[in-house]
Amino acid sequence: MATFLYKLGRLSFRRRHLVALIWVALLTLAGVGAASAPAAGNSSFSIPGTEAQKAFDLLEQRFPGTSADGATARVVFRAPSGEKMTDPGNKATVQDTVKELSDGSEVVRVTDPYQAKAVSKDGTIAYAQVSYKVSGMELDDAAKDALQDSAEDARKAGLTVEIGGDALQAVPHTGSSEIIGIAVAAVVLVITFGSLVAAGLPLLTALIGVGIGVSAITGLASALDLGTTTSTLAMMIGLAVGIDYALFIVSRYRAELAEGREREEAAGRAVGTAGSAVVFAGLTVVIALVGLSVVNIPMLTKMGIAAAGTVAIAVLIALTMIPALLGYAGRKVKPMGEKGKLLGRSKKQDEPGEQGKQAKPNLGTRWASFVVRRPLAVLLLGVIGLGAAAVPATSLELGLPDDGSQPTSTTQRRAYDLLSEGFGPGFNGPLMVVVDAKNSDDPKAVFAETGDEIKGLKDVVTVTPAQPNKAGDTATITVIPGSQPSSVTTENLVHGIRDAGADIKADMDATVLVTGSTAMNIDVSEKLNDALVPYLVLVVGLAFLLLIVVFRSILVPLKAALGFLLSVMAALGAVVAVFQWGWLSGLMGVEQTGPVMSMMPIFMVGVVFGLAMDYEVFLVTRMREAYVHGEKPAQAVVTGFRHGARVVTAAAVIMMAVFAGFIGSSESMVKMIGFGLAIAVLFDAFVVRMAIVPAVLALLGRKAWWLPKWLDRALPNVDVEGEGLRAASGDDDGDRELVRV
């Protein structure tokens, strides 16, 4: 592989005009396609195989035109102090609002609070429920504006009005977060390279790659039912890895220049060596993202595949456009250790100083030398530290966010609090029970029996009479729990109703299904939790096999996988401590603690595993390269850090900056994802890869690179270290300087 990529790098350097033209043409084509494609709403949401989804599907068949999974809005009214909602003036205002809300083209029905008995016992709070034909993700802006305008008219009449439900659901905008991440990345790249030109290359190629990927997703959004969340994830991951991959190749190019090679040869060798690591690092990310399909949630599958496509584009751009741009840059990109005018010039590393002394070893060399002298102490400190950080993960509670987790400044949260005050906390999470009595001889008796069974369960406040369809064979029953939607008590109630339904099925040959947003959230959480172990086995197993091919070792990939699991557990512990326990919640802007988002563990495993393997491949391939070229194991560890620590550190800081920018979001889900990914990269890059990995390799010595002979013969030789290039050029390993440790 190294030889092929070497030739590709040289070809791209020589034919830079053609390469640049091809990528610009692809970007233009994708942009035109995105601009001319039909507008697409957010992706539809379905969870195949769950009971809640089965109930929705049944409702669509037995109650045609009711839009069972359509958006809902609860417009909550509160009377001024000393007044009641039943006062004539307040009642007239509410009825005018109900009439105004009924005029929307996407509105199915609006309930009148006075006819539906939706007024609190003390008479101070009432609500009107608006049902829509489409889901909250698909509701158009005009309908949302009409909803908010109606509420504002009622406010002008003197009432306090807030809007809850999923009708105002919106995908958070993250443009400012991306700008913050790019700005920090630019600063880090300038410091790393000491040159605006060298720093600008990774940024330029990353933006082109993300532009092509996101434009392609936008162009295909309507045909493939891709939502804006898909492009957001693709943009976040593509931007981060795009900068990192280009950063590694540019750094290797500068190192090759420092060894006295011509620029075209240096570009070829950079792509042949660092480019090989980029290919395999990119493959691990693609495996992790495509592996999300095992969860069998269509939206998650599409997000993973689209993001994986963007990563693949980032790899291709790094291998071809970076050497092309290096050809354009010429002498403006300086050799390693030689900085441009921006930060001043410095002598090349290890070049004799004025009095014939060697230049001072860089920080990576000094740190690696310390670790190989004290490997056991560093290993124990790292493992114990991450283990302590992982302790809160033992208290992990999973759930999906509802309006109760929104900031108190939002109208959804204020509506949630008003409903809890007027009708009880469970009123914000009603359960819809669907009774299918088509095979029963007496459907009415089944409906009555089901209602009676539910009334006898714990934590049930209200059970409405059954509402049958026209055929009389299916009915819906609304159940109001006594606890808030995200509580364990409500989850137990859902399972209790389903257990009671199993008895009814046995006795009366009728099917009882529980659905609604609360039940759907519970089912999604359980589905994600059940899929976590199979996903881990699939992703870690495939990547383990891939890393055996890369490193030609059994213990190095095993150590990489175990280190990743340790960093992910520590990151989950930090998430629990902040978002569930409330530690440092004020600093992070967390207004409401509660269960951790159920998607968080599997999402973190997928994304962080791919990124962690990036750092593993880039850092350890340098060590492997030094080892196969004749250095002793301990010397190879130090050499790997001397060449790779600075650039891996820069890559990790860039990645953390991209993710940390999302912590400032007002959406608790986005905030949690940003914090979780940023802290996971911090733990994995700086504790696992920079401390535990060299300590383990120092302890293992030559055993780290052991591979059974039969397996060595069976595996393909991908030559990530570029040994074939060295042999072809006649480089002499005897001239290599050995590092004393």
PDB file of all heavy atoms in Angstrom, residues 471-483:
ATOM      1  N   ALA A 471     -65.572   0.887  13.329  1.00  0.00           N
ATOM      2  CA  ALA A 471     -65.888  -0.536  13.246  1.00  0.00           C
ATOM      3  C   ALA A 471     -66.173  -1.142  14.610  1.00  0.00           C
ATOM      4  O   ALA A 471     -66.747  -2.227  14.705  1.00  0.00           O
ATOM      5  CB  ALA A 471     -64.735  -1.281  12.579  1.00  0.00           C
ATOM      6  N   GLY A 472     -65.740  -0.441  15.658  1.00  0.00           N
ATOM      7  CA  GLY A 472     -65.994  -0.932  17.007  1.00  0.00           C
ATOM      8  C   GLY A 472     -65.096  -2.058  17.454  1.00  0.00           C
ATOM      9  O   GLY A 472     -65.338  -2.672  18.500  1.00  0.00           O
ATOM     10  N   ASP A 473     -64.026  -2.339  16.690  1.00  0.00           N
ATOM     11  CA  ASP A 473     -63.159  -3.453  17.059  1.00  0.00           C
ATOM     12  C   ASP A 473     -61.845  -3.018  17.705  1.00  0.00           C
ATOM     13  O   ASP A 473     -61.048  -3.845  18.143  1.00  0.00           O
ATOM     14  CB  ASP A 473     -62.867  -4.323  15.839  1.00  0.00           C
ATOM     15  CG  ASP A 473     -62.202  -3.534  14.713  1.00  0.00           C
ATOM     16  OD1 ASP A 473     -61.900  -2.342  14.902  1.00  0.00           O
ATOM     17  OD2 ASP A 473     -62.003  -4.127  13.621  1.00  0.00           O
ATOM     18  N   THR A 474     -61.584  -1.709  17.720  1.00  0.00           N
ATOM     19  CA  THR A 474     -60.350  -1.176  18.302  1.00  0.00           C
ATOM     20  C   THR A 474     -60.683   0.099  19.064  1.00  0.00           C
ATOM     21  O   THR A 474     -61.517   0.895  18.612  1.00  0.00           O
ATOM     22  CB  THR A 474     -59.307  -0.865  17.210  1.00  0.00           C
ATOM     23  OG1 THR A 474     -59.125  -2.023  16.394  1.00  0.00           O
ATOM     24  CG2 THR A 474     -57.979  -0.466  17.820  1.00  0.00           C
ATOM     25  N   ALA A 475     -60.025   0.303  20.195  1.00  0.00           N
ATOM     26  CA  ALA A 475     -60.296   1.493  21.011  1.00  0.00           C
ATOM     27  C   ALA A 475     -58.992   2.028  21.592  1.00  0.00           C
ATOM     28  O   ALA A 475     -57.996   1.302  21.725  1.00  0.00           O
ATOM     29  CB  ALA A 475     -61.277   1.157  22.132  1.00  0.00           C
ATOM     30  N   THR A 476     -59.020   3.308  21.929  1.00  0.00           N
ATOM     31  CA  THR A 476     -57.882   3.938  22.609  1.00  0.00           C
ATOM     32  C   THR A 476     -58.313   4.361  24.005  1.00  0.00           C
ATOM     33  O   THR A 476     -59.437   4.825  24.211  1.00  0.00           O
ATOM     34  CB  THR A 476     -57.367   5.160  21.825  1.00  0.00           C
ATOM     35  OG1 THR A 476     -58.416   6.128  21.710  1.00  0.00           O
ATOM     36  CG2 THR A 476     -56.888   4.759  20.439  1.00  0.00           C
ATOM     37  N   ILE A 477     -57.401   4.207  24.955  1.00  0.00           N
ATOM     38  CA  ILE A 477     -57.626   4.610  26.342  1.00  0.00           C
ATOM     39  C   ILE A 477     -56.441   5.477  26.762  1.00  0.00           C
ATOM     40  O   ILE A 477     -55.283   5.074  26.584  1.00  0.00           O
ATOM     41  CB  ILE A 477     -57.739   3.392  27.273  1.00  0.00           C
ATOM     42  CG1 ILE A 477     -58.910   2.498  26.859  1.00  0.00           C
ATOM     43  CG2 ILE A 477     -57.886   3.828  28.730  1.00  0.00           C
ATOM     44  CD1 ILE A 477     -58.982   1.191  27.632  1.00  0.00           C
ATOM     45  N   THR A 478     -56.698   6.656  27.294  1.00  0.00           N
ATOM     46  CA  THR A 478     -55.638   7.541  27.758  1.00  0.00           C
ATOM     47  C   THR A 478     -55.441   7.352  29.256  1.00  0.00           C
ATOM     48  O   THR A 478     -56.396   7.385  30.032  1.00  0.00           O
ATOM     49  CB  THR A 478     -55.968   9.012  27.457  1.00  0.00           C
ATOM     50  OG1 THR A 478     -56.143   9.172  26.048  1.00  0.00           O
ATOM     51  CG2 THR A 478     -54.845   9.924  27.928  1.00  0.00           C
ATOM     52  N   VAL A 479     -54.179   7.154  29.633  1.00  0.00           N
ATOM     53  CA  VAL A 479     -53.825   6.931  31.038  1.00  0.00           C
ATOM     54  C   VAL A 479     -52.894   8.055  31.494  1.00  0.00           C
ATOM     55  O   VAL A 479     -51.873   8.316  30.851  1.00  0.00           O
ATOM     56  CB  VAL A 479     -53.131   5.567  31.220  1.00  0.00           C
ATOM     57  CG1 VAL A 479     -52.766   5.343  32.690  1.00  0.00           C
ATOM     58  CG2 VAL A 479     -54.014   4.440  30.709  1.00  0.00           C
ATOM     59  N   ILE A 480     -53.257   8.708  32.606  1.00  0.00           N
ATOM     60  CA  ILE A 480     -52.416   9.769  33.170  1.00  0.00           C
ATOM     61  C   ILE A 480     -51.665   9.198  34.370  1.00  0.00           C
ATOM     62  O   ILE A 480     -52.278   8.834  35.374  1.00  0.00           O
ATOM     63  CB  ILE A 480     -53.253  10.988  33.613  1.00  0.00           C
ATOM     64  CG1 ILE A 480     -54.105  11.504  32.457  1.00  0.00           C
ATOM     65  CG2 ILE A 480     -52.335  12.080  34.159  1.00  0.00           C
ATOM     66  CD1 ILE A 480     -53.320  12.013  31.281  1.00  0.00           C
ATOM     67  N   PRO A 481     -50.334   9.094  34.291  1.00  0.00           N
ATOM     68  CA  PRO A 481     -49.564   8.588  35.433  1.00  0.00           C
ATOM     69  C   PRO A 481     -49.490   9.627  36.549  1.00  0.00           C
ATOM     70  O   PRO A 481     -49.776  10.814  36.344  1.00  0.00           O
ATOM     71  CB  PRO A 481     -48.174   8.322  34.840  1.00  0.00           C
ATOM     72  CG  PRO A 481     -48.335   8.412  33.359  1.00  0.00           C
ATOM     73  CD  PRO A 481     -49.481   9.347  33.119  1.00  0.00           C
ATOM     74  N   GLY A 482     -49.047   9.178  37.708  1.00  0.00           N
ATOM     75  CA  GLY A 482     -48.867  10.103  38.819  1.00  0.00           C
ATOM     76  C   GLY A 482     -47.484  10.715  38.865  1.00  0.00           C
ATOM     77  O   GLY A 482     -47.243  11.667  39.598  1.00  0.00           O
ATOM     78  N   SER A 483     -46.547  10.175  38.078  1.00  0.00           N
ATOM     79  CA  SER A 483     -45.163  10.639  38.097  1.00  0.00           C
ATOM     80  C   SER A 483     -44.802  11.287  36.769  1.00  0.00           C
ATOM     81  O   SER A 483     -45.491  11.102  35.764  1.00  0.00           O
ATOM     82  CB  SER A 483     -44.212   9.468  38.374  1.00  0.00           C
ATOM     83  OG  SER A 483     -44.552   8.819  39.578  1.00  0.00           O
TER      84      SER A 483
END
